Amino acid sequence: MSKLKRRGFVIAHSYDFGRKGKLQDLLFLTKSGFAQLQKAGLVDTEYRYKTPPSLIVDYFHRTAIVDYWIYLERALSNDQIYKLADFYPEFKKLSNGKSITLKAESAAGEVLQVRNDALFIVQKRQAGTEFLFMLEIDRGTIPITTGYNVVNRIEQNMKIRSNLLTKITKVQNVFDHWQTFINALPPRFHHFEGARVLVLTGAKKRILNIEKRLLIREPYFSLGTFIFQVKEYSKK
């Protein structure tokens, strides 16, 4: 690992994993490190290098998306009824070369953008019927204890947790402007009349806050908004 660091392929940041306050290195590939993997044919070209996030919690958020992807692959690989047809995380391009960010223009001329954490399709094996899901990993409940001083920690925590209203608006916009959104996606998605929004969070209070705001309009639930508390859901 020290050789990889010296050659500039890997960088490390100190992080507090909660192990009695002991800081440990969190390791990341650099741009040149990623290029070496591509050169060796170990990384698909569609997973192009992206600039690392500014907040360390974003690394864990990205990992959570991949973890859920792996979980789905495993869970549905032996399922007799359903299979995972496609999974598009936020960093993977669609067939038209664009990201999975949904874009639409409201009647008032306002440009709306809904950036999902992932977009995936579950298919019935025999009938071929497909269901479209949008994944939302609740970044606001990911632990973010870092090696920085307390003041910086609190400021970062406030920025992250303040995105609850943004999350609510995101879910509402998906349903309110679905037809416009779907038309901007490749033809692969045009037969879907709507999507199910799956929200994974780590706090029961977070679920109650989201549900309370979404209950203003009952159709959000009938159209398919699912909210799971990670710790509780993982037991089942």
Side-chain angles (χ1 to χ4, degrees), residues 138 140-141 161 163-164 201 203-210:
D138 185 11
T141 53
R161 292 184 182 277
N163 72 352
L164 178 60
T201 187
K204 189 173 183 179
K205 187 176 180 181
R206 194 77 160 177
I207 293 177
L208 296 175
N209 287 337
I210 295 175

Side-chain angles (χ1 to χ4, degrees), residues 91-109:
F91 47 83
K92 183 178 179 181
K93 299 293 183 182
L94 295 170
S95 60
N96 59 0
K98 297 181 179 180
S99 69
I100 63 172
T101 299
L102 302 177
K103 295 182 181 180
E105 186 174 334
S106 67

Side-chain angles (χ1 to χ4, degrees), residues 5-226:
K5 289 179 184 177
R6 284 199 300 270
R7 296 187 66 181
F9 295 152
V10 171
I11 56 175
H13 292 299
S14 295
Y15 185 80
D16 184 353
F17 287 91
R19 296 167 185 168
K20 297 182 180 179
K22 181 182 178 182
L23 296 181
Q24 293 177 292
D25 281 347
L26 196 58
L27 303 168
F28 307 102
L29 280 173
T30 62
K31 191 171 184 177
S32 57
F34 195 88
Q36 288 295 319
L37 291 181
Q38 286 183 310
K39 186 178 179 180
L42 297 174
V43 180
D44 292 335
T45 54
E46 62 184 317
Y47 297 101
R48 283 172 290 198
Y49 183 87
K50 289 181 65 175
T51 304
S54 58
L55 292 178
I56 208 164
V57 68
D58 288 325
Y59 288 104
F60 290 92
H61 180 254
R62 195 172 295 179
T63 303
I65 297 171
V66 177
D67 281 345
Y68 189 76
W69 186 357
I70 294 172
Y71 166 81
L72 274 182
E73 290 278 11
R74 288 178 175 172
L76 297 180
S77 61
N78 298 319
D79 193 276
Q80 299 300 310
I81 302 176
Y82 298 100
K83 70 176 182 178
L84 183 62
D86 286 296
F87 193 100
Y88 301 92
E90 60 179 357
F91 47 83
K92 183 178 179 181
K93 299 293 183 182
L94 295 170
S95 60
N96 59 0
K98 297 181 179 180
S99 69
I100 63 172
T101 299
L102 302 177
K103 295 182 181 180
E105 186 174 334
S106 67
E110 178 188 5
V111 177
L112 302 171
Q113 291 194 49
V114 176
R115 183 178 177 183
N116 303 286
D117 294 334
L119 191 156
F120 63 91
I121 299 171
V122 173
Q123 185 183 80
K124 277 193 172 182
R125 294 183 182 273
Q126 300 298 325
T129 309
E130 294 185 329
F131 306 92
L132 179 62
F133 290 84
M134 292 182 181
L135 179 65
E136 178 65 30
I137 302 287
D138 185 11
R139 193 181 70 153
T141 53
I142 297 177
I144 62 159
T145 306
T146 68
Y148 305 122
N149 62 58
V150 176
V151 175
N152 285 340
R153 265 211 310 270
I154 293 174
E155 287 179 354
Q156 289 183 357
N157 200 34
M158 290 300 291
K159 289 177 184 176
I160 292 166
R161 292 184 182 277
S162 66
N163 72 352
L164 178 60
L165 287 177
T166 305
K167 197 174 304 298
I168 301 298
T169 305
K170 179 188 290 189
V171 175
Q172 291 171 336
N173 283 337
V174 166
F175 293 130
D176 291 346
H177 304 277
W178 176 251
Q179 202 54 51
T180 309
F181 282 143
I182 203 71
N183 290 337
L185 292 175
R188 172 75 176 92
F189 302 93
H190 289 179
H191 66 284
F192 292 108
E193 294 181 358
R196 291 153 173 79
V197 178
L198 175 62
V199 181
L200 292 180
T201 187
K204 189 173 183 179
K205 187 176 180 181
R206 194 77 160 177
I207 293 177
L208 296 175
N209 287 337
I210 295 175
E211 286 182 339
K212 182 180 179 181
R213 293 179 184 277
L214 287 179
L215 273 172
I216 297 172
R217 288 189 59 186
E218 182 62 30
Y220 294 136
F221 281 97
S222 61
L223 285 166
T225 304
F226 306 93

